[in-house]
Amino acid sequence: MRNELELMDLIERYLDGGLDHTEASVMSQRIAVDDGLRRQVEEQRALRAGMERVGSRMAVVKAYRSYRFWKWAPWMGGVLLLTVIALVTLWPSEKEHDYPQPSVEVAEVPTPVEAPTEEPDVEIDRTPSDPGSTSVHRMVTKEIKVVEDVIQDTVLSGQRVEVKQRVVSAESVQLPMVWDDAEVVHNTAALEPRPAFPGGDDALGAFLMKNLQYPAEAERKAVQGRVVVSYIVMKDGTIQDIRVEKGFDAACDQEAMRVVRKMPNWAPGKLNGELVNVRVQLPIVFTLRIQRME
Amino acid sequence: MTDEEILLMLREGREHTALTKLYTHLPKVERMVRNNSGTRADAKDLFQDALIILHRKARSSEFQLTCGLGTYLYAVCRNNWQAELRRRGRFTQELEAAPDEPTDLDELLATEGRNGLAERALSSLGATCLDLLKRFYLLKEPLVAIAKSLGLAGEGAAKTRKYKCLEEARKRFRALAANAGDINLQAQ
């Protein structure tokens, strides 16, 4: 073992550049003819590099922690701030909420005659907030002027290999879907052209396939089903007011929403030659397919 | 912070700030990996490996940056992910390369892949061995000091221990390399 230790030392110094000129050239010559030695030198070089990597990795992992921290810290700060704001704003409103009841009782006790006048009083308290909010609602709905449309005839499927023995996650968009509201059918027929994903239904299918990820949780629980997402394709092609019309699993619904949100602008639809806002229904089917790996 | 500043920091041993900053390029890699049958964890491992390579590379004097650091990291990840997909025997299309990405990465990645195996071999050693080797190679503590803090008899004992640890690592490294199908090592 003595000799081997000595040899390792020699290689170490050789790699360090710690040998003098003659020693180094002797070493180089030995390496040139001795395969075993060359191999040992190479291995030792790799191990030294490996050691440097151990050091690098420690720094990299440490940096990852602080990256994560600084990535989330502003959020945490935001959440804290929101909590504080919520507390501050909820505090008095809770008190206000408490007031009316006792005040009614107090009023009732001294003069029962005045009781009827109190009811209008309470109503006046409410009125400023109620009509205001409904009028805003009305304005919004008027502005959007929605025509509904259903995407049809797109059937897609595909798969992505995941766990050792299974092929998981075929997401498909499948139709014709059931939507027998008379008004919708009427409006769909009248649209010319109907709103379209840039590149057409094939491109839409490809886009969904590319971006949809089977939610891990759903995959594990083998949850399958269909989400119907609807959204409005505005006159300028933007996608707005995304809703889950029919969902089946929170994670899958979320995933469908996420991908729809990522969609590029559509070509808007027209009715009688005029641009209109159209509500589009997009069914997305999540299915798991069991397959053998080849 | 410009790329030059980050490189300088890596070179001068102020790597923590530099590496933290470099992680801003992670999301792009994550997107690439997740769009090509990988997970977020895959992307993180891949990216950290790229950071290690850059970190080591930056400290060598001959390193010349021909593109942005983000592009460089992405290129390393893309190449390694392509190799990984091939290794998993998955049918894949070529992953899209950035236009100004360096093309001479093959040799570097092969060497670093091998060094990565050595790293794994070393990390699998016992805590004492790893501690000793870290002190010797990374902290550059003299053997006498190492012997003292590890409770060994003296410099000679520390040296012997270091020899044994390295030998063990070498054995494990060889096994790993043989598994990975490294032909150079299997010969002989």
Side-chain angles (χ1 to χ4, degrees), chain A residues 1-6 8-9 12 16 34-37 39-68 70-71 160-162 210-211 213 255 258 262 293, chain B residues 15-16 19-20 23-24 26-27 34-35 37-39 44 48-49 51-53 55-56 59 88 90 112-116 118-119 121-123 130 133-134 136-138 159-160 162-164 166-167 169-170 173-174 184-188:
Chain A
M1 194 184 100
R2 200 71 243 162
N3 286 340
E4 285 157 26
L5 205 156
E6 225 90 286
M8 188 181 270
D9 237 28
E12 202 96 278
D16 272 336
D34 186 344
D35 279 348
L37 180 66
R39 186 179 172 204
Q40 193 174 342
V41 170
E42 279 317 309
E43 282 170 351
Q44 211 143 314
R45 199 199 297 277
L47 283 172
R48 287 161 64 102
M51 216 48 229
E52 281 173 30
R53 282 180 62 106
V54 170
S56 261
R57 189 173 296 277
M58 292 194 295
V60 163
V61 168
K62 197 173 138 208
Y64 182 67
R65 273 187 231 119
S66 72
Y67 160 72
R68 295 283 296 190
W70 287 113
K71 198 173 157 198
R160 180 164 62 87
V161 189
E162 201 63 293
K210 187 164 177 235
N211 289 287
Q213 302 260 347
E255 175 61 11
R258 182 186 71 80
K262 265 180 76 174
M293 289 266 281
Chain B
E15 66 270 332
H16 184 69
L19 290 171
T20 308
Y23 271 106
T24 48
L26 172 60
R34 279 165 60 103
N35 280 340
S37 33
T39 64
K44 193 187 109 188
Q48 294 194 332
D49 214 63
L51 280 182
I52 290 171
I53 291 173
H55 184 205
R56 280 165 46 66
R59 280 184 297 180
R88 290 188 193 175
R90 198 79 61 78
E112 280 305 322
R114 227 169 85 90
N115 292 343
E119 183 199 345
L122 287 159
S123 310
L130 202 54
L133 294 176
K134 270 185 199 166
F136 185 82
Y137 286 107
L138 301 180
K159 205 169 188 176
T160 316
K162 174 183 153 246
Y163 166 77
K164 280 183 178 159
L166 269 185
E167 265 310 292
R170 202 144 68 91
F173 170 47
R174 246 180 231 193
N184 290 334
L185 278 179
Q186 269 176 337
Q188 191 204 15

Side-chain angles (χ1 to χ4, degrees), chain B residues 59-128:
Chain B
R59 280 184 297 180
S60 70
S61 49
E62 80 267 23
F63 183 61
Q64 288 280 328
L65 199 61
T66 55
C67 61
L69 285 175
T71 311
Y72 187 85
L73 288 169
Y74 182 83
V76 171
C77 291
R78 191 185 63 80
N79 275 284
N80 277 341
W81 186 239
Q82 187 98 65
E84 171 66 16
L85 286 178
R86 226 172 272 136
R87 203 178 59 74
R88 290 188 193 175
R90 198 79 61 78
F91 169 78
T92 49
Q93 71 278 41
E94 283 293 307
L95 299 177
E96 206 178 308
D100 56 340
E101 147 172 320
T103 47
D104 54 347
L105 288 172
D106 288 355
E107 200 192 322
L108 169 71
L109 294 186
T111 324
E112 280 305 322
R114 227 169 85 90
N115 292 343
L117 292 182
E119 183 199 345
R120 265 172 60 196
L122 287 159
S123 310
S124 73
L125 294 176
T128 327

